[in-house]
Amino acid sequence: MASLNPYLLFNGTCEEAFNLYKSVFGGEFQMISKFKDMPGEGVDPQYAEHIMHVALPVGDKDILMGSDCGPENGNIHIGTNFSVSISVGSEAETRKIFDGLAAGGKVTMPLDKTFWSPLFGMVTDKFQVNWMVSFDAQPS
């Protein structure tokens, strides 16, 4: 079964925003990591303390997620500072959903293995909606 969650993007204010959301919705961060925590090559020190990924459970099954826009993406703009994140339980379903959303749209990150997911990709569909599609090898 797939799950959908909003994914918000910020220009360096993600931590501040999510501390506000945490105070409003309650709970604890399920995950919070900074760009300096990424494995592999070092990140520009200017962005090291920026949020790479944060997840805040809201209610019983919803998760509000976010990150600071990486330097390779430039500044984000209000109205395009979000994506819909979809996690699915099989590689075949992940590919089917990704390919369907990509039809007539633009792949911004091809499906591939990442350090956090066996298969992850990003696409902007033909209606200009941003999507993050991932295979959740151990669905919740």
Side-chain angles (χ1 to χ4, degrees):
M1 176 60 77
S3 66
L4 293 172
N5 295 286
Y7 202 104
L8 308 177
L9 300 173
F10 298 86
N11 283 324
T13 59
C14 183
E15 187 167 14
E16 181 181 358
F18 269 77
N19 282 326
L20 169 68
Y21 304 150
K22 182 178 168 187
S23 75
V24 170
F25 298 117
E28 296 298 325
F29 294 128
Q30 185 179 62
M31 176 182 188
I32 186 165
S33 60
K34 297 185 176 188
F35 282 104
K36 70 179 181 181
D37 301 327
M38 246 175 26
E41 294 182 28
V43 66
D44 184 332
Q46 174 182 351
Y47 302 102
E49 293 297 324
H50 286 199
I51 300 299
M52 181 179 69
H53 179 73
V54 61
L56 177 66
V58 178
D60 293 335
K61 61 181 181 173
D62 298 321
I63 301 173
L64 182 62
M65 296 184 284
S67 70
D68 284 311
C69 198
E72 68 281 358
N73 297 320
N75 286 331
I76 52 94
H77 303 283
I78 301 303
T80 61
N81 62 326
F82 72 94
S83 292
V84 179
S85 174
I86 182 166
S87 299
V88 295
S90 77
E91 183 175 331
E93 186 180 11
T94 302
R95 291 185 187 284
K96 178 182 178 229
I97 290 171
F98 185 88
D99 291 345
L101 293 169
K106 179 182 176 190
V107 172
T108 55
M109 181 178 175
L111 276 176
D112 205 355
K113 179 179 171 55
T114 64
F115 67 89
W116 68 86
S117 174
L119 198 58
F120 175 85
M122 297 189 305
V123 61
T124 301
D125 70 21
K126 65 182 177 182
F127 303 104
Q128 302 304 303
V129 175
N130 300 313
W131 294 87
M132 298 173 156
V133 182
S134 69
F135 169 38
D136 185 358
Q138 297 178 355
S140 51

